[in-house]
Amino acid sequence: MLSEFRSRVVAHGMEERVLDLLLERLRELGLVAAGDNQRTDSTHIVAAVRDLNRLELVGESVRAALNALAAACPDWVDQALVVEDWSRRYADRIDTWRLPSSKTKQDELALHYAKDGYTLLEALYAPVSPAWLR
């Protein structure tokens, strides 16, 4: 639908009019100051989305590894991986819950994922762990 709208706008030479109407509405809402130069590229938005996607990817990777290990050797997981808050962090897919919006909280969550990943690897490569799990 959006591509059809865009095609109609371009076909009728209305690109400037659409932008002018959008800017007018944004000024009315106080989101854009009149007469100021406005940033029109989306670099900062793309960067923020990329960072969140990376955070989701890391969290989902740890969750998927835990689920695979739990399916392959549930007794080993119960004995070797006793970490506080794992069930809360990895019970559901990472993309089904809202990631923190503040950079500090995102960094804190990334640190948890990293520590959990290292804990998982250390447990897998411990001498007492079954070699076939590696």
Side-chain angles (χ1 to χ4, degrees):
M1 295 298 285
L2 185 57
S3 64
E4 292 174 15
F5 172 74
R6 183 176 51 227
S7 296
R8 286 195 313 266
V9 167
V10 171
H12 292 90
M14 300 292 291
E15 302 96 326
E16 289 292 322
R17 181 68 179 136
V18 169
L19 183 59
D20 290 342
L21 288 170
L22 175 64
L23 288 173
E24 182 181 319
R25 181 67 178 136
L26 292 173
R27 272 189 219 102
E28 290 171 5
L29 294 172
L31 299 173
V32 173
D36 287 348
N37 288 333
Q38 300 299 319
R39 182 180 205 157
T40 57
D41 73 61
S42 60
T43 305
H44 59 291
I45 295 170
V46 171
V49 169
R50 182 190 62 230
D51 290 344
L52 288 176
N53 286 343
R54 284 184 185 159
L55 188 58
E56 285 179 349
L57 178 62
V58 171
E60 188 58 26
S61 296
V62 175
R63 189 191 76 78
L66 282 170
N67 282 346
L69 290 167
C73 194
D75 294 336
W76 177 84
V77 170
D78 290 340
Q79 293 171 2
L81 299 176
V82 181
V83 178
E84 184 179 333
D85 287 340
W86 274 35
S87 60
R88 183 182 56 81
R89 270 198 296 279
Y90 302 112
D92 298 319
R93 286 182 52 92
I94 305 303
D95 62 359
T96 62
W97 48 276
R98 199 175 187 103
L99 290 173
S101 56
S102 79
K103 181 70 172 142
T104 304
K105 294 284 186 184
Q106 289 173 11
D107 290 345
E108 186 179 301
L109 184 58
L111 188 59
H112 280 296
Y113 289 157
K115 287 179 181 178
D116 293 347
Y118 276 107
T119 300
L120 179 60
L121 289 174
E122 286 173 352
L124 277 170
Y125 285 92
V128 295
S129 295
W132 62 270
L133 277 179
R134 293 181 200 126

